[in-house]
Amino acid sequence: MVPNGDYRDGLAGTLAGWRSGGAQHTLGRNQSASHFVKGEGTAYIHQPGTSATGTRFDADVWNGHLGQYFAVTPGKRYEMHAYLNAHRCRGSVVILFCGASDTEQQLSSADGNLVQYGSLITSIADMRQSGVFAVAPAGAVKARLIIKGECIG
């Protein structure tokens, strides 16, 4: 479980990450009355303007605090699911496994299924689930989660 994974207490431990192009994206919470789950907190990524098809952008999800990774054991299987919705993009959840020597040493990553726009959001039933199973590779000691978006026009 991700601490504050329902974002009821704000965006602690989540931030806007890498992007391949287009305007700088931002991370926010509870965008508007038709774009969040009632009674819960809902994080969103916004990239202003119209980016080229294929432009990618990320939100990094840490273990409750910025820079705090999830501990992993090589050879153990891990599972991640996220409820997503999208507008003019598609999204997925990613597990990034890292070694001890370099905080961003990417040993391997695993992408979940892609999710596209389904409807306005008023309940969890309006969200789409992206999920991934992955085995931590040799040398992995920590992992972080990424919500990846890709512009589709």
Side-chain angles (χ1 to χ4, degrees):
M1 297 294 292
V2 175
N4 191 38
D6 61 2
Y7 299 106
R8 287 184 188 181
D9 297 325
L11 295 171
T14 304
L15 75 154
W18 175 87
R19 76 179 195 283
S20 66
Q24 177 60 53
H25 61 292
T26 58
L27 187 68
R29 185 173 168 271
N30 295 354
Q31 184 178 26
S32 69
S34 59
H35 290 93
F36 75 96
V37 177
K38 307 304 182 251
E40 302 286 337
T42 305
Y44 68 89
I45 304 169
H46 176 253
Q47 188 173 35
T50 303
S51 297
T53 298
T55 300
R56 294 183 180 175
F57 48 91
D58 292 345
D60 299 327
V61 181
W62 300 91
N63 189 5
H65 301 286
L66 183 63
Q68 184 173 327
Y69 288 82
F70 295 87
V72 297
T73 303
K76 188 173 180 182
R77 182 175 137 163
Y78 293 89
E79 173 183 358
M80 175 60 188
H81 296 272
Y83 285 97
L84 307 173
N85 205 338
H87 177 67
R88 294 185 2 216
C89 66
R90 56 187 177 185
S92 65
V93 63
V94 178
I95 299 175
L96 176 69
F97 293 105
C98 301
S101 62
D102 181 359
T103 58
E104 292 304 315
Q105 175 193 5
Q106 178 180 334
L107 297 174
S108 71
S109 63
D111 289 39
N113 57 298
L114 289 169
V115 171
Q116 294 190 165
Y117 178 76
S119 63
L120 296 179
I121 303 167
T122 57
S123 74
I124 197 70
D126 297 327
M127 305 289 275
R128 306 299 175 260
Q129 191 174 38
S130 176
V132 61
F133 293 95
V135 175
V141 297
K142 55 192 169 187
R144 68 180 166 100
L145 309 174
I146 298 171
I147 304 299
K148 179 175 69 175
E150 180 180 350
C151 182
I152 57 173

